[in-house]
Amino acid sequence: MALTPELVVFFILAAVSVGAALGMLFSRSAVHSALFLVLNFAVVSVFFLMLAAPFIAMVQVTVYAGAIMVLFLFVIMLLGAEMLRHRSQVLPWQPWLAFVLGVLFVAVLAYVTFFQGGQFLVAGILGTPPIFPEELSAEFGGPASIGLVLYRNYLLPFELTSFLLLVAMIGAVVLTRDSKGRQVDGTYPKPAASERPVRG
Amino acid sequence: MVPTAFYLGLSAILFTLGVAGVLVRRNAIIVFMSIELMLNSANLVFVAYARQFLEQSGQVFVFFVMTVAAAEVAVGLALIVTIFRTRRGINLDEINTLKG
């Protein structure tokens, strides 16, 4: 296969994204992990651009790298939980077991992809003649055509999505509400005798 | 034109790194970030196949995945904040009871 400039860009960006994922995994500080993940999301949005999905790429940057990761950073900095103070010794063998099982997972994934029936899939994909840019209409992946597909074919899932977001919002509000009514000084008001919960 | 199989391979690597993060790290926030990494690698496969088959439905599904991710992050971070309030820590090994 000829090493086209697009392929070179792909390999460089793939290395950056895998490196950012590794950095997220192994940073001691949660803030650094979040910033590595932002880098990973930015690189993946460039992949989306290369795959003729400009609108998805912009949504990736604004929603994922913007909103969701800023939420993560807010929580990390609000809690002051950027470092775990001590390594727990509850399950000392667990990381090693996890490592072995992770390697096994990759092996199974590779086996299924390349040998167990998946080789036809891979061969089919590799054998498919590449789509030339001129076959691709300029509209493909743009906001207008994506919106048409979304509202014509996926209207009900789209409405269900709004319901899902509403439920998540209510859930977040209910979960973070301090139901015991803690006061500013950190103490709790004594409930009246009639309001005290009966145990048993 | 980069072959679709390359994107699939990259996505598999990123997904495995996310799995490793969930299994190895004990900081609840980093476990959540690893879940985001896995969802994002699934998005990459969706978009790669959308390009392969010139079918925009794959790109629409990325929206739904992103919505689920946003909802999950909102609820999950609310849970983490609540757990941190009651237990003064978010080490997953120390969270072994459901009753605060």
Side-chain angles (χ1 to χ4, degrees), chain A residues 6 25 27 40-41 47 55-56 60 64 79 88 94 106 131 136 141 145-146 154 161 175-176 182, chain B residues 1 10 16 21 23 25-26 36-37 40 49 51-52 54 56-57 59 63 67 82 84-85 93-94:
Chain A
E6 202 178 0
L25 259 177
S27 317
N40 187 30
F41 286 164
F47 283 139
F55 185 55
I56 296 288
Q60 166 96 358
Y64 252 124
L79 295 186
S88 66
Q94 196 260 355
V106 178
I131 302 147
L136 200 64
S145 55
I146 289 279
Y154 297 98
T161 289
L175 280 172
T176 46
R182 185 166 49 180
Chain B
M1 175 78 199
L10 174 66
T16 310
L23 291 177
R25 295 304 300 258
R26 296 271 64 91
E36 293 302 309
L37 190 63
N40 208 42
Y49 271 123
R51 177 72 177 83
Q52 169 77 27
L54 287 183
Q56 290 182 336
S57 297
Q59 300 191 5
F63 274 110
T67 318
T82 313
F84 189 85
R85 255 194 219 148
D93 279 344
E94 293 163 4

mmCIF file of all heavy atoms in Angstrom, chain A residues 6 25 27 40-41 47 55-56 60 64 79 88 94 106 131 136 141 145-146 154 161 175-176 182, chain B residues 1 10 16 21 23 25-26 36-37 40 49 51-52 54 56-57 59 63 67 82 84-85 93-94:
data_model
loop_
_atom_site.group_PDB
_atom_site.id
_atom_site.type_symbol
_atom_site.label_atom_id
_atom_site.label_comp_id
_atom_site.label_asym_id
_atom_site.label_seq_id
_atom_site.Cartn_x
_atom_site.Cartn_y
_atom_site.Cartn_z
ATOM 1 N N GLU A 6 -2.267 11.166 3.631
ATOM 2 C CA GLU A 6 -3.384 10.947 4.554
ATOM 3 C C GLU A 6 -3.069 9.820 5.531
ATOM 4 O O GLU A 6 -3.399 9.891 6.719
ATOM 5 C CB GLU A 6 -4.638 10.623 3.749
ATOM 6 C CG GLU A 6 -5.910 10.897 4.514
ATOM 7 C CD GLU A 6 -7.133 10.625 3.674
ATOM 8 O OE1 GLU A 6 -6.973 10.234 2.510
ATOM 9 O OE2 GLU A 6 -8.227 10.797 4.201
ATOM 10 N N LEU A 25 -4.572 6.948 31.598
ATOM 11 C CA LEU A 25 -4.591 5.777 32.478
ATOM 12 C C LEU A 25 -3.591 5.908 33.610
ATOM 13 O O LEU A 25 -3.875 5.521 34.740
ATOM 14 C CB LEU A 25 -4.229 4.540 31.660
ATOM 15 C CG LEU A 25 -5.359 3.659 31.216
ATOM 16 C CD1 LEU A 25 -4.825 2.536 30.370
ATOM 17 C CD2 LEU A 25 -6.022 3.091 32.439
ATOM 18 N N SER A 27 -1.690 8.711 34.754
ATOM 19 C CA SER A 27 -1.356 9.914 35.527
ATOM 20 C C SER A 27 -1.756 9.728 36.982
ATOM 21 O O SER A 27 -2.773 9.118 37.280
ATOM 22 C CB SER A 27 -2.100 11.132 35.010
ATOM 23 O OG SER A 27 -2.096 11.162 33.657
ATOM 24 N N ASN A 40 -7.290 13.444 23.758
ATOM 25 C CA ASN A 40 -7.752 12.274 23.004
ATOM 26 C C ASN A 40 -9.017 12.598 22.209
ATOM 27 O O ASN A 40 -9.140 12.252 21.038
ATOM 28 C CB ASN A 40 -8.004 11.130 23.985
ATOM 29 C CG ASN A 40 -8.327 9.839 23.278
ATOM 30 O OD1 ASN A 40 -7.860 9.615 22.180
ATOM 31 N ND2 ASN A 40 -9.129 9.022 23.898
ATOM 32 N N PHE A 41 -9.958 13.294 22.852
ATOM 33 C CA PHE A 41 -11.204 13.641 22.168
ATOM 34 C C PHE A 41 -10.937 14.576 20.991
ATOM 35 O O PHE A 41 -11.557 14.445 19.930
ATOM 36 C CB PHE A 41 -12.181 14.298 23.136
ATOM 37 C CG PHE A 41 -12.813 13.327 24.089
ATOM 38 C CD1 PHE A 41 -13.456 13.764 25.224
ATOM 39 C CD2 PHE A 41 -12.767 11.970 23.840
ATOM 40 C CE1 PHE A 41 -14.037 12.865 26.095
ATOM 41 C CE2 PHE A 41 -13.345 11.070 24.702
ATOM 42 C CZ PHE A 41 -13.980 11.521 25.834
ATOM 43 N N PHE A 47 -10.133 12.715 13.446
ATOM 44 C CA PHE A 47 -10.476 11.492 12.699
ATOM 45 C C PHE A 47 -11.860 11.616 12.083
ATOM 46 O O PHE A 47 -12.084 11.189 10.952
ATOM 47 C CB PHE A 47 -10.433 10.281 13.623
ATOM 48 C CG PHE A 47 -9.055 9.802 13.933
ATOM 49 C CD1 PHE A 47 -8.718 9.399 15.200
ATOM 50 C CD2 PHE A 47 -8.095 9.758 12.944
ATOM 51 C CE1 PHE A 47 -7.449 8.961 15.491
ATOM 52 C CE2 PHE A 47 -6.826 9.319 13.225
ATOM 53 C CZ PHE A 47 -6.503 8.923 14.501
ATOM 54 N N PHE A 55 -19.858 17.654 10.908
ATOM 55 C CA PHE A 55 -20.770 18.096 11.966
ATOM 56 C C PHE A 55 -20.538 17.318 13.255
ATOM 57 O O PHE A 55 -20.484 17.895 14.351
ATOM 58 C CB PHE A 55 -22.214 17.945 11.489
ATOM 59 C CG PHE A 55 -23.208 18.483 12.445
ATOM 60 C CD1 PHE A 55 -23.133 19.788 12.886
ATOM 61 C CD2 PHE A 55 -24.222 17.681 12.927
ATOM 62 C CE1 PHE A 55 -24.047 20.285 13.784
ATOM 63 C CE2 PHE A 55 -25.141 18.174 13.819
ATOM 64 C CZ PHE A 55 -25.055 19.478 14.252
ATOM 65 N N ILE A 56 -20.353 15.987 13.108
ATOM 66 C CA ILE A 56 -20.083 15.161 14.284
ATOM 67 C C ILE A 56 -18.783 15.617 14.950
ATOM 68 O O ILE A 56 -18.671 15.642 16.177
ATOM 69 C CB ILE A 56 -19.984 13.685 13.873
ATOM 70 C CG1 ILE A 56 -21.312 13.198 13.330
ATOM 71 C CG2 ILE A 56 -19.589 12.827 15.043
ATOM 72 C CD1 ILE A 56 -22.354 13.017 14.348
ATOM 73 N N GLN A 60 -18.449 16.778 18.682
ATOM 74 C CA GLN A 60 -17.485 16.120 19.570
ATOM 75 C C GLN A 60 -16.686 17.149 20.357
ATOM 76 O O GLN A 60 -16.499 17.027 21.561
ATOM 77 C CB GLN A 60 -16.550 15.261 18.713
ATOM 78 C CG GLN A 60 -15.306 14.783 19.422
ATOM 79 C CD GLN A 60 -15.476 13.405 19.974
ATOM 80 O OE1 GLN A 60 -16.530 12.820 19.866
ATOM 81 N NE2 GLN A 60 -14.430 12.899 20.577
ATOM 82 N N TYR A 64 -18.340 16.914 23.924
ATOM 83 C CA TYR A 64 -17.449 16.034 24.692
ATOM 84 C C TYR A 64 -16.310 16.818 25.324
ATOM 85 O O TYR A 64 -16.198 16.926 26.542
ATOM 86 C CB TYR A 64 -16.871 14.961 23.775
ATOM 87 C CG TYR A 64 -17.443 13.594 24.020
ATOM 88 C CD1 TYR A 64 -18.033 12.868 23.021
ATOM 89 C CD2 TYR A 64 -17.370 13.021 25.281
ATOM 90 C CE1 TYR A 64 -18.556 11.623 23.245
ATOM 91 C CE2 TYR A 64 -17.882 11.774 25.515
ATOM 92 C CZ TYR A 64 -18.473 11.083 24.493
ATOM 93 O OH TYR A 64 -18.982 9.854 24.708
ATOM 94 N N LEU A 79 -14.238 18.781 44.557
ATOM 95 C CA LEU A 79 -14.032 17.789 45.602
ATOM 96 C C LEU A 79 -12.620 17.866 46.160
ATOM 97 O O LEU A 79 -12.361 17.417 47.262
ATOM 98 C CB LEU A 79 -14.274 16.379 45.064
ATOM 99 C CG LEU A 79 -15.686 16.044 44.623
ATOM 100 C CD1 LEU A 79 -15.768 14.577 44.270
ATOM 101 C CD2 LEU A 79 -16.664 16.347 45.727
ATOM 102 N N SER A 88 -4.899 1.586 48.417
ATOM 103 C CA SER A 88 -5.669 0.678 49.259
ATOM 104 C C SER A 88 -5.118 -0.732 49.093
ATOM 105 O O SER A 88 -4.562 -1.094 48.068
ATOM 106 C CB SER A 88 -7.129 0.717 48.855
ATOM 107 O OG SER A 88 -7.255 0.205 47.559
ATOM 108 N N GLN A 94 -5.684 -7.602 42.549
ATOM 109 C CA GLN A 94 -6.679 -7.274 41.524
ATOM 110 C C GLN A 94 -6.082 -6.599 40.289
ATOM 111 O O GLN A 94 -6.426 -6.961 39.159
ATOM 112 C CB GLN A 94 -7.780 -6.431 42.162
ATOM 113 C CG GLN A 94 -9.049 -6.344 41.343
ATOM 114 C CD GLN A 94 -9.120 -5.061 40.584
ATOM 115 O OE1 GLN A 94 -8.271 -4.202 40.740
ATOM 116 N NE2 GLN A 94 -10.105 -4.944 39.719
ATOM 117 N N VAL A 106 -7.684 -8.548 24.573
ATOM 118 C CA VAL A 106 -7.112 -8.142 23.282
ATOM 119 C C VAL A 106 -6.897 -9.360 22.398
ATOM 120 O O VAL A 106 -7.186 -9.340 21.186
ATOM 121 C CB VAL A 106 -5.780 -7.392 23.502
ATOM 122 C CG1 VAL A 106 -5.176 -7.009 22.177
ATOM 123 C CG2 VAL A 106 -6.005 -6.175 24.352
ATOM 124 N N ILE A 131 -13.520 4.635 -1.697
ATOM 125 C CA ILE A 131 -14.455 5.594 -2.269
ATOM 126 C C ILE A 131 -13.688 6.859 -2.607
ATOM 127 O O ILE A 131 -12.984 7.419 -1.764
ATOM 128 C CB ILE A 131 -15.576 5.885 -1.270
ATOM 129 C CG1 ILE A 131 -16.279 4.591 -0.925
ATOM 130 C CG2 ILE A 131 -16.537 6.902 -1.823
ATOM 131 C CD1 ILE A 131 -16.791 4.549 0.463
ATOM 132 N N LEU A 136 -18.208 11.358 -3.163
ATOM 133 C CA LEU A 136 -18.802 11.821 -1.923
ATOM 134 C C LEU A 136 -19.415 13.194 -2.175
ATOM 135 O O LEU A 136 -18.729 14.124 -2.578
ATOM 136 C CB LEU A 136 -17.696 11.920 -0.880
ATOM 137 C CG LEU A 136 -18.068 11.935 0.584
ATOM 138 C CD1 LEU A 136 -18.718 10.625 0.942
ATOM 139 C CD2 LEU A 136 -16.819 12.136 1.387
ATOM 140 N N GLY A 141 -22.566 14.325 5.703
ATOM 141 C CA GLY A 141 -22.068 14.597 7.044
ATOM 142 C C GLY A 141 -22.244 16.031 7.481
ATOM 143 O O GLY A 141 -21.860 16.370 8.589
ATOM 144 N N SER A 145 -27.837 17.713 6.066
ATOM 145 C CA SER A 145 -28.229 16.347 5.703
ATOM 146 C C SER A 145 -28.357 15.473 6.942
ATOM 147 O O SER A 145 -29.234 14.601 7.000
ATOM 148 C CB SER A 145 -27.229 15.759 4.715
ATOM 149 O OG SER A 145 -25.937 15.827 5.232
ATOM 150 N N ILE A 146 -27.489 15.699 7.943
ATOM 151 C CA ILE A 146 -27.625 14.939 9.195
ATOM 152 C C ILE A 146 -28.976 15.243 9.837
ATOM 153 O O ILE A 146 -29.685 14.353 10.312
ATOM 154 C CB ILE A 146 -26.487 15.310 10.169
ATOM 155 C CG1 ILE A 146 -25.171 14.762 9.674
ATOM 156 C CG2 ILE A 146 -26.777 14.767 11.560
ATOM 157 C CD1 ILE A 146 -24.954 13.338 9.974
ATOM 158 N N TYR A 154 -35.408 9.125 12.441
ATOM 159 C CA TYR A 154 -35.152 8.827 13.851
ATOM 160 C C TYR A 154 -35.859 9.827 14.752
ATOM 161 O O TYR A 154 -35.300 10.277 15.746
ATOM 162 C CB TYR A 154 -33.650 8.816 14.133
ATOM 163 C CG TYR A 154 -32.916 7.749 13.374
ATOM 164 C CD1 TYR A 154 -32.255 8.035 12.195
ATOM 165 C CD2 TYR A 154 -32.910 6.438 13.835
ATOM 166 C CE1 TYR A 154 -31.604 7.055 11.486
ATOM 167 C CE2 TYR A 154 -32.261 5.452 13.139
ATOM 168 C CZ TYR A 154 -31.611 5.766 11.970
ATOM 169 O OH TYR A 154 -30.968 4.779 11.277
ATOM 170 N N THR A 161 -34.690 10.636 23.496
ATOM 171 C CA THR A 161 -33.439 11.199 23.991
ATOM 172 C C THR A 161 -33.702 12.381 24.923
ATOM 173 O O THR A 161 -33.078 12.505 25.981
ATOM 174 C CB THR A 161 -32.611 11.645 22.793
ATOM 175 O OG1 THR A 161 -32.143 10.500 22.123
ATOM 176 C CG2 THR A 161 -31.457 12.483 23.212
ATOM 177 N N LEU A 175 -30.063 13.448 43.569
ATOM 178 C CA LEU A 175 -28.946 12.784 44.231
ATOM 179 C C LEU A 175 -28.085 13.776 44.998
ATOM 180 O O LEU A 175 -27.576 13.460 46.071
ATOM 181 C CB LEU A 175 -28.087 12.052 43.206
ATOM 182 C CG LEU A 175 -28.633 10.707 42.764
ATOM 183 C CD1 LEU A 175 -27.808 10.172 41.627
ATOM 184 C CD2 LEU A 175 -28.612 9.730 43.909
ATOM 185 N N THR A 176 -27.885 14.966 44.458
ATOM 186 C CA THR A 176 -26.982 15.891 45.132
ATOM 187 C C THR A 176 -27.703 16.740 46.172
ATOM 188 O O THR A 176 -27.049 17.478 46.891
ATOM 189 C CB THR A 176 -26.302 16.825 44.118
ATOM 190 O OG1 THR A 176 -27.307 17.314 43.237
ATOM 191 C CG2 THR A 176 -25.261 16.089 43.331
ATOM 192 N N ARG A 182 -28.433 19.606 56.011
ATOM 193 C CA ARG A 182 -27.259 20.012 56.771
ATOM 194 C C ARG A 182 -27.153 21.530 56.786
ATOM 195 O O ARG A 182 -27.377 22.201 55.787
ATOM 196 C CB ARG A 182 -26.006 19.411 56.153
ATOM 197 C CG ARG A 182 -24.771 19.685 56.971
ATOM 198 C CD ARG A 182 -23.653 18.817 56.523
ATOM 199 N NE ARG A 182 -23.493 18.867 55.073
ATOM 200 C CZ ARG A 182 -22.553 18.174 54.450
ATOM 201 N NH1 ARG A 182 -21.750 17.398 55.122
ATOM 202 N NH2 ARG A 182 -22.432 18.256 53.155
ATOM 203 N N MET B 1 -6.849 7.717 1.045
ATOM 204 C CA MET B 1 -7.990 7.129 1.766
ATOM 205 C C MET B 1 -7.472 6.059 2.722
ATOM 206 O O MET B 1 -6.838 5.103 2.313
ATOM 207 C CB MET B 1 -8.940 6.514 0.730
ATOM 208 C CG MET B 1 -10.100 5.763 1.329
ATOM 209 S SD MET B 1 -11.379 6.852 1.920
ATOM 210 C CE MET B 1 -12.232 5.743 3.027
ATOM 211 N N LEU B 10 -7.641 0.844 15.537
ATOM 212 C CA LEU B 10 -7.397 1.928 16.499
ATOM 213 C C LEU B 10 -8.502 1.965 17.548
ATOM 214 O O LEU B 10 -8.239 2.109 18.752
ATOM 215 C CB LEU B 10 -7.337 3.259 15.756
ATOM 216 C CG LEU B 10 -7.227 4.484 16.659
ATOM 217 C CD1 LEU B 10 -5.906 4.476 17.382
ATOM 218 C CD2 LEU B 10 -7.401 5.749 15.875
ATOM 219 N N THR B 16 -9.838 -1.142 24.495
ATOM 220 C CA THR B 16 -9.138 -1.979 25.468
ATOM 221 C C THR B 16 -8.480 -1.132 26.543
ATOM 222 O O THR B 16 -8.470 -1.518 27.722
ATOM 223 C CB THR B 16 -8.090 -2.825 24.741
ATOM 224 O OG1 THR B 16 -8.699 -3.450 23.635
ATOM 225 C CG2 THR B 16 -7.524 -3.867 25.666
ATOM 226 N N GLY B 21 -8.531 0.763 32.110
ATOM 227 C CA GLY B 21 -8.707 1.836 33.092
ATOM 228 C C GLY B 21 -9.764 1.496 34.115
ATOM 229 O O GLY B 21 -9.582 1.709 35.318
ATOM 230 N N LEU B 23 -10.641 -1.450 35.029
ATOM 231 C CA LEU B 23 -10.233 -2.563 35.886
ATOM 232 C C LEU B 23 -9.112 -2.181 36.836
ATOM 233 O O LEU B 23 -9.039 -2.694 37.943
ATOM 234 C CB LEU B 23 -9.782 -3.746 35.016
ATOM 235 C CG LEU B 23 -10.886 -4.438 34.239
ATOM 236 C CD1 LEU B 23 -10.300 -5.518 33.374
ATOM 237 C CD2 LEU B 23 -11.900 -5.034 35.190
ATOM 238 N N ARG B 25 -7.700 1.223 37.687
ATOM 239 C CA ARG B 25 -7.711 2.415 38.528
ATOM 240 C C ARG B 25 -8.762 2.299 39.624
ATOM 241 O O ARG B 25 -9.805 1.671 39.416
ATOM 242 C CB ARG B 25 -7.975 3.669 37.688
ATOM 243 C CG ARG B 25 -6.897 3.963 36.698
ATOM 244 C CD ARG B 25 -5.535 4.097 37.329
ATOM 245 N NE ARG B 25 -5.487 5.161 38.302
ATOM 246 C CZ ARG B 25 -4.964 6.356 38.074
ATOM 247 N NH1 ARG B 25 -4.448 6.618 36.917
ATOM 248 N NH2 ARG B 25 -4.944 7.270 39.022
ATOM 249 N N ARG B 26 -8.495 2.938 40.747
ATOM 250 C CA ARG B 26 -9.415 2.881 41.874
ATOM 251 C C ARG B 26 -10.069 4.232 42.165
ATOM 252 O O ARG B 26 -10.880 4.334 43.060
ATOM 253 C CB ARG B 26 -8.686 2.393 43.135
ATOM 254 C CG ARG B 26 -8.170 0.997 43.043
ATOM 255 C CD ARG B 26 -9.184 -0.045 43.487
ATOM 256 N NE ARG B 26 -10.356 -0.092 42.640
ATOM 257 C CZ ARG B 26 -10.487 -0.876 41.578
ATOM 258 N NH1 ARG B 26 -9.536 -1.688 41.259
ATOM 259 N NH2 ARG B 26 -11.574 -0.854 40.859
ATOM 260 N N GLU B 36 -15.933 6.910 29.367
ATOM 261 C CA GLU B 36 -16.073 7.861 28.259
ATOM 262 C C GLU B 36 -15.183 7.465 27.090
ATOM 263 O O GLU B 36 -15.586 7.568 25.924
ATOM 264 C CB GLU B 36 -15.689 9.262 28.725
ATOM 265 C CG GLU B 36 -16.624 9.861 29.730
ATOM 266 C CD GLU B 36 -18.022 9.935 29.222
ATOM 267 O OE1 GLU B 36 -18.198 10.450 28.103
ATOM 268 O OE2 GLU B 36 -18.924 9.438 29.894
ATOM 269 N N LEU B 37 -13.965 7.001 27.414
ATOM 270 C CA LEU B 37 -13.038 6.578 26.356
ATOM 271 C C LEU B 37 -13.629 5.417 25.563
ATOM 272 O O LEU B 37 -13.561 5.393 24.323
ATOM 273 C CB LEU B 37 -11.711 6.172 26.993
ATOM 274 C CG LEU B 37 -10.537 5.920 26.057
ATOM 275 C CD1 LEU B 37 -10.192 7.178 25.326
ATOM 276 C CD2 LEU B 37 -9.360 5.411 26.829
ATOM 277 N N ASN B 40 -16.369 6.599 23.302
ATOM 278 C CA ASN B 40 -15.830 7.360 22.189
ATOM 279 C C ASN B 40 -15.230 6.447 21.124
ATOM 280 O O ASN B 40 -15.353 6.725 19.924
ATOM 281 C CB ASN B 40 -14.774 8.325 22.721
ATOM 282 C CG ASN B 40 -14.664 9.530 21.869
ATOM 283 O OD1 ASN B 40 -15.668 10.059 21.434
ATOM 284 N ND2 ASN B 40 -13.451 9.949 21.596
ATOM 285 N N TYR B 49 -17.731 3.232 9.773
ATOM 286 C CA TYR B 49 -18.629 2.448 8.912
ATOM 287 C C TYR B 49 -19.584 3.343 8.143
ATOM 288 O O TYR B 49 -19.977 3.006 7.013
ATOM 289 C CB TYR B 49 -19.400 1.422 9.744
ATOM 290 C CG TYR B 49 -18.668 0.120 9.878
ATOM 291 C CD1 TYR B 49 -18.354 -0.396 11.122
ATOM 292 C CD2 TYR B 49 -18.286 -0.595 8.757
ATOM 293 C CE1 TYR B 49 -17.678 -1.587 11.253
ATOM 294 C CE2 TYR B 49 -17.606 -1.784 8.876
ATOM 295 C CZ TYR B 49 -17.313 -2.277 10.128
ATOM 296 O OH TYR B 49 -16.627 -3.451 10.238
ATOM 297 N N ARG B 51 -18.786 6.109 6.853
ATOM 298 C CA ARG B 51 -17.990 6.513 5.687
ATOM 299 C C ARG B 51 -17.867 5.367 4.702
ATOM 300 O O ARG B 51 -17.961 5.565 3.483
ATOM 301 C CB ARG B 51 -16.603 6.956 6.165
ATOM 302 C CG ARG B 51 -15.642 7.341 5.072
ATOM 303 C CD ARG B 51 -16.038 8.664 4.468
ATOM 304 N NE ARG B 51 -15.086 9.082 3.454
ATOM 305 C CZ ARG B 51 -15.119 8.666 2.192
ATOM 306 N NH1 ARG B 51 -16.039 7.808 1.811
ATOM 307 N NH2 ARG B 51 -14.224 9.083 1.333
ATOM 308 N N GLN B 52 -17.659 4.157 5.252
ATOM 309 C CA GLN B 52 -17.459 3.002 4.389
ATOM 310 C C GLN B 52 -18.680 2.751 3.499
ATOM 311 O O GLN B 52 -18.555 2.534 2.297
ATOM 312 C CB GLN B 52 -17.186 1.767 5.252
ATOM 313 C CG GLN B 52 -17.210 0.451 4.530
ATOM 314 C CD GLN B 52 -15.938 0.231 3.745
ATOM 315 O OE1 GLN B 52 -14.902 0.762 4.109
ATOM 316 N NE2 GLN B 52 -16.029 -0.531 2.673
ATOM 317 N N LEU B 54 -21.279 4.865 3.085
ATOM 318 C CA LEU B 54 -21.936 6.110 2.676
ATOM 319 C C LEU B 54 -23.360 6.195 3.220
ATOM 320 O O LEU B 54 -24.316 6.454 2.499
ATOM 321 C CB LEU B 54 -21.948 6.249 1.152
ATOM 322 C CG LEU B 54 -20.616 6.571 0.497
ATOM 323 C CD1 LEU B 54 -20.792 6.741 -0.988
ATOM 324 C CD2 LEU B 54 -20.013 7.813 1.113
ATOM 325 N N GLN B 56 -25.604 7.814 6.366
ATOM 326 C CA GLN B 56 -25.499 8.793 7.447
ATOM 327 C C GLN B 56 -26.152 8.352 8.736
ATOM 328 O O GLN B 56 -26.000 9.012 9.757
ATOM 329 C CB GLN B 56 -26.115 10.107 6.983
ATOM 330 C CG GLN B 56 -25.271 10.764 5.921
ATOM 331 C CD GLN B 56 -25.843 12.071 5.498
ATOM 332 O OE1 GLN B 56 -27.016 12.316 5.632
ATOM 333 N NE2 GLN B 56 -24.998 12.929 4.995
ATOM 334 N N SER B 57 -26.878 7.243 8.704
ATOM 335 C CA SER B 57 -27.493 6.772 9.940
ATOM 336 C C SER B 57 -26.439 6.480 11.005
ATOM 337 O O SER B 57 -26.668 6.693 12.196
ATOM 338 C CB SER B 57 -28.308 5.512 9.673
ATOM 339 O OG SER B 57 -29.357 5.796 8.804
ATOM 340 N N GLN B 59 -23.799 8.145 11.534
ATOM 341 C CA GLN B 59 -23.443 9.402 12.193
ATOM 342 C C GLN B 59 -24.548 9.853 13.138
ATOM 343 O O GLN B 59 -24.280 10.459 14.177
ATOM 344 C CB GLN B 59 -23.161 10.468 11.156
ATOM 345 C CG GLN B 59 -22.011 10.073 10.257
ATOM 346 C CD GLN B 59 -21.543 11.206 9.406
ATOM 347 O OE1 GLN B 59 -22.012 12.321 9.530
ATOM 348 N NE2 GLN B 59 -20.599 10.932 8.533
ATOM 349 N N PHE B 63 -24.897 10.561 17.774
ATOM 350 C CA PHE B 63 -25.630 11.508 18.621
ATOM 351 C C PHE B 63 -26.223 10.809 19.830
ATOM 352 O O PHE B 63 -26.132 11.288 20.955
ATOM 353 C CB PHE B 63 -26.784 12.138 17.847
ATOM 354 C CG PHE B 63 -26.385 13.312 17.064
ATOM 355 C CD1 PHE B 63 -26.348 13.249 15.698
ATOM 356 C CD2 PHE B 63 -26.025 14.473 17.701
ATOM 357 C CE1 PHE B 63 -25.966 14.327 14.964
ATOM 358 C CE2 PHE B 63 -25.648 15.549 16.973
ATOM 359 C CZ PHE B 63 -25.613 15.474 15.597
ATOM 360 N N THR B 67 -25.548 11.375 23.762
ATOM 361 C CA THR B 67 -26.592 11.726 24.733
ATOM 362 C C THR B 67 -26.538 10.809 25.941
ATOM 363 O O THR B 67 -26.619 11.265 27.086
ATOM 364 C CB THR B 67 -27.969 11.616 24.067
ATOM 365 O OG1 THR B 67 -27.884 12.163 22.780
ATOM 366 C CG2 THR B 67 -28.993 12.309 24.878
ATOM 367 N N THR B 82 -22.088 12.847 46.037
ATOM 368 C CA THR B 82 -22.795 12.404 47.236
ATOM 369 C C THR B 82 -21.942 11.447 48.064
ATOM 370 O O THR B 82 -21.878 11.559 49.296
ATOM 371 C CB THR B 82 -24.105 11.716 46.829
ATOM 372 O OG1 THR B 82 -24.764 12.525 45.877
ATOM 373 C CG2 THR B 82 -24.981 11.512 48.019
ATOM 374 N N PHE B 84 -18.709 11.264 48.082
ATOM 375 C CA PHE B 84 -17.593 12.004 48.678
ATOM 376 C C PHE B 84 -18.047 12.757 49.919
ATOM 377 O O PHE B 84 -17.315 12.855 50.903
ATOM 378 C CB PHE B 84 -17.019 12.983 47.657
ATOM 379 C CG PHE B 84 -15.749 13.625 48.099
ATOM 380 C CD1 PHE B 84 -14.541 12.988 47.893
ATOM 381 C CD2 PHE B 84 -15.751 14.860 48.723
ATOM 382 C CE1 PHE B 84 -13.366 13.568 48.302
ATOM 383 C CE2 PHE B 84 -14.583 15.446 49.133
ATOM 384 C CZ PHE B 84 -13.386 14.799 48.923
ATOM 385 N N ARG B 85 -19.282 13.287 49.883
ATOM 386 C CA ARG B 85 -19.791 14.017 51.040
ATOM 387 C C ARG B 85 -19.914 13.126 52.273
ATOM 388 O O ARG B 85 -19.569 13.520 53.372
ATOM 389 C CB ARG B 85 -21.169 14.556 50.705
ATOM 390 C CG ARG B 85 -21.187 16.027 50.440
ATOM 391 C CD ARG B 85 -22.614 16.484 50.456
ATOM 392 N NE ARG B 85 -22.867 17.474 49.443
ATOM 393 C CZ ARG B 85 -24.028 17.617 48.823
ATOM 394 N NH1 ARG B 85 -25.025 16.784 49.106
ATOM 395 N NH2 ARG B 85 -24.199 18.560 47.957
ATOM 396 N N ASP B 93 -12.327 0.910 46.298
ATOM 397 C CA ASP B 93 -12.154 -0.240 47.178
ATOM 398 C C ASP B 93 -12.808 -0.021 48.525
ATOM 399 O O ASP B 93 -13.131 -0.975 49.225
ATOM 400 C CB ASP B 93 -10.662 -0.521 47.384
ATOM 401 C CG ASP B 93 -10.100 -1.302 46.218
ATOM 402 O OD1 ASP B 93 -10.914 -1.858 45.459
ATOM 403 O OD2 ASP B 93 -8.882 -1.341 46.077
ATOM 404 N N GLU B 94 -12.980 1.248 48.895
ATOM 405 C CA GLU B 94 -13.543 1.515 50.219
ATOM 406 C C GLU B 94 -15.054 1.657 50.169
ATOM 407 O O GLU B 94 -15.692 1.787 51.211
ATOM 408 C CB GLU B 94 -12.917 2.791 50.800
ATOM 409 C CG GLU B 94 -11.444 2.602 51.107
ATOM 410 C CD GLU B 94 -10.730 3.916 51.275
ATOM 411 O OE1 GLU B 94 -11.396 4.958 51.231
ATOM 412 O OE2 GLU B 94 -9.503 3.884 51.430
#
